[in-house]
Each structure stands twice: as C-alpha cells, then as structure tokens.
C-alpha cells in the first residue's frame, strides 16, 4: 500500500477537496513549476496582548489553497520561529490537495503547534488591492493584524490540517462544510477508472487512519464520502464538533 501511495505521489496524483469553501482570490503563484495561483502562504501576524489567547499576541496565518508543495513553506516558517511555538490560524480557500493537508497536520503535531480556524486581517492591507496585500504578506511578516474567528468555512482539507493541532479551536461563527472529493493528476488529465477507484479507496483509508492518530473521530470522513462526486455538501453542526473531537477548545 505504501509503495502504491509513493508511486501516486511521484505521478502527481492527489485527492482534492471540491466545492463549498470560498475560492482563493487571484494572485501570483508562489511556488515552483506547476504551482497554481492562490496557493497557501504563511506569515507571522502580531496583534494586541492576549489577542490569540492568554499571553499570546503573535500567530502564524495560513491562507489559500493547499497545493502539492505547501508543506515546504510551512516547514520554512516554523523553522524560523526558533524557541517559539506560535499557534496557526487556518483559512483555506479554493480546491485543495487532501494528501498534503494531512502532511501539514502531521507537521503541526510534530512541532507541538496549536491550531484554530479563522481569518487574519492585516492592518496594512486596508484599502489595498489583493496583489498589493499579497506583496506585503509574502515575505513572512511580522505584520500588525487582528484575528477574525468567525465567518470562515472549514472544508475537508481544513479539517485534515486542523486535526494536527495539539489544541484545536473553531469559533462558533465558523462552519464545517464537507463537500465531495475528486482524484486529480497534475501532470496528465486522464486516470483510468480502475486506478481512480483503487487510489480513492487507499487515500480514504489513509485519511481514516490519520484522523484516528490525531484523536479525531473518523465519522468526519463518512460525512465527506456521502457527498463525493455528487455536487452536494453537508454541514457538520457546531453541536457535533466536540463529540467528534474536532475541537479541544471552543473560541468565543
């Protein structure tokens, strides 16, 4: 099974989250060859005292779609925080690579990082275009900002990344919206039906195992599977977040 997954990675085959989460805004690619516009960026944000929790005024903002090379940028910004374990604020936008989302979650857990879902509003971006704001964020901060822990949709990629947080938070005004999954090869458009079915089954099994290792109920994958490929989505109500162990704390 692991050999099959390695071959799939080399071939650029991934299972993607599709549908309900907000699309990434258009901005330049930030990765290497084949990196799509809207790929996730990471930067350090600085707020008022206790703005991200007791004794916390700095956090890492994660914004955009999870692409094949996103893990490299997460490792890079974590490595720059010598002696500090800043929490991460996750705001995934657009079609995202679920395989890599689990890698991001494992990186967060390995580094002992807490995670919440929310938006980061950078003060210097007020009145600026998306392109100008992106230019401010791309160097990695720190930038004066505020957390907005409501009004953000958390899709399956978001769930997989959030699961890696040592402590996990979801503001009451956020939504967990799970849509379908689709197999995609970034190097070639066609995947045989047999290969599609086999790989999808393998990936889903891996996601189940991953969630179990992170302490999250595997029922979340069942929610997504019910909607795979049918164009619908299902919302996981806030009343279920604690039962499913998706959150370990609730943000105001």
């Amino acid at each position: 099974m692991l050999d099959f997954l390695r071959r799939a990675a080399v071939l650029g085959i991934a299972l993607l989250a599709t549908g309900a989460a907000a699309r990434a805004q258009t901005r330049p690619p930030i990765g290497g060859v084949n990196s799509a516009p809207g790929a996730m960026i990471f930067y350090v944000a600085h707020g008022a005292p206790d703005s991200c929790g007791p004794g916390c005024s700095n956090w890492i903002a994660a914004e955009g779609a999870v692409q094949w090379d996103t893990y490299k940028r997460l490792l890079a910004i974590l490595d720059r925080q010598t002696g500090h374990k800043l929490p991460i604020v996750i705001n995934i936008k657009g079609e995202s690579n679920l395989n890599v989302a689990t890698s991001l979650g494992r990186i967060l857990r390995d580094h002992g990082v807490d995670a919440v879902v929310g938006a980061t509003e950078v003060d210097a971006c007020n009145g600026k275009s998306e392109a100008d704001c992106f230019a401010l964020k791309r160097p990695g901060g720190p930038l004066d900002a505020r957390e907005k822990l409501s009004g953000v949709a958390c899709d399956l990629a978001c769930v997989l990344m959030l699961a890696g947080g040592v402590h996990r938070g979801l503001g009451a005004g956020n939504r967990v919206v799970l849509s379908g999954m689709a197999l995609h090869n970034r190097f070639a458009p066609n995947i045989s039906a047999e290969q599609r079915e086999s790989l999808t089954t393998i990936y889903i099994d891996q996601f189940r195992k991953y969630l179990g290792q992170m302490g999250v109920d595997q029922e979340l994958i069942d929610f997504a599977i019910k909607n795979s490929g049918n164009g619908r989505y299902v919302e996981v109500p806030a009343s279920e977040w604690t039962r499913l162990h998706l959150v370990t704390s609730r943000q105001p």
Side-chain angles (χ1 to χ4, degrees):
M1 181 179 292
L2 289 177
D3 287 341
F4 198 178
L5 286 171
R6 291 190 186 99
R7 289 198 298 273
V10 170
L11 293 172
I13 300 173
L15 201 59
L16 304 182
T18 61
R23 290 185 176 275
Q25 293 178 297
T26 301
R27 50 176 169 76
I30 62 171
V33 177
N34 296 315
S35 182
M40 181 170 280
I41 59 172
F42 300 92
Y43 59 92
V44 174
H46 174 74
D50 301 326
S51 57
C52 50
C56 176
S57 58
N58 294 297
W59 66 93
I60 295 172
E63 297 177 354
V66 177
Q67 301 290 345
W68 65 274
D69 57 349
T70 299
Y71 72 95
K72 298 178 182 178
R73 290 185 288 279
L74 177 57
L75 285 171
I77 196 163
L78 290 175
D79 287 346
R80 291 200 295 270
Q81 314 311 313
T82 306
H84 301 280
K85 290 185 179 180
L86 303 184
I88 191 163
V89 177
I90 302 168
N91 187 11
I92 292 181
K93 306 174 184 179
E95 191 174 73
S96 289
N97 185 316
L98 298 178
N99 315 17
V100 178
T102 61
S103 297
L104 301 181
R106 290 191 186 281
I107 290 169
L108 296 181
R109 184 62 60 90
D110 289 346
H111 284 74
V113 173
D114 294 342
V116 299
V117 174
T120 298
E121 298 179 339
V122 175
D123 295 348
C125 286
N126 291 336
K128 289 186 169 58
S129 67
E130 171 67 12
D132 289 342
C133 185
F134 172 72
L136 290 171
K137 295 174 179 178
R138 183 167 183 172
L143 296 170
D144 290 337
R146 294 180 296 118
E147 278 189 357
K148 180 184 177 184
L149 299 179
S150 63
V152 176
C154 184
D155 66 2
L156 184 54
C158 168
V159 164
L160 292 172
M161 184 175 177
L162 175 66
V166 176
H167 298 98
R168 303 180 291 275
L170 266 164
N174 290 333
R175 301 171 65 202
V176 177
V177 183
L178 304 182
S179 57
M181 296 173 282
L183 207 62
H184 174 72
N185 186 342
R186 61 189 171 89
F187 294 133
N190 297 320
I191 303 173
S192 70
E194 181 180 1
Q195 187 181 34
R196 185 180 302 277
E197 181 178 359
S198 179
L199 277 171
T200 300
T201 298
I202 290 173
Y203 283 138
I204 289 173
D205 286 345
Q206 290 298 305
F207 298 154
R208 287 183 187 278
K209 180 179 179 181
Y210 163 77
L211 287 178
Q213 292 171 339
M214 297 298 108
V216 178
D217 197 304
Q218 299 174 6
E219 186 179 338
L220 280 163
I221 292 296
D222 296 331
F223 277 110
I225 292 172
K226 290 177 183 176
N227 297 277
S228 182
N230 61 16
R232 297 185 295 109
Y233 66 89
V234 64
E235 182 164 354
V236 182
S239 58
E240 293 287 279
W241 296 348
T242 300
R243 181 184 71 81
L244 295 170
H245 306 292
L246 180 57
V247 297
T248 59
S249 62
R250 291 290 294 277
Q251 302 297 321

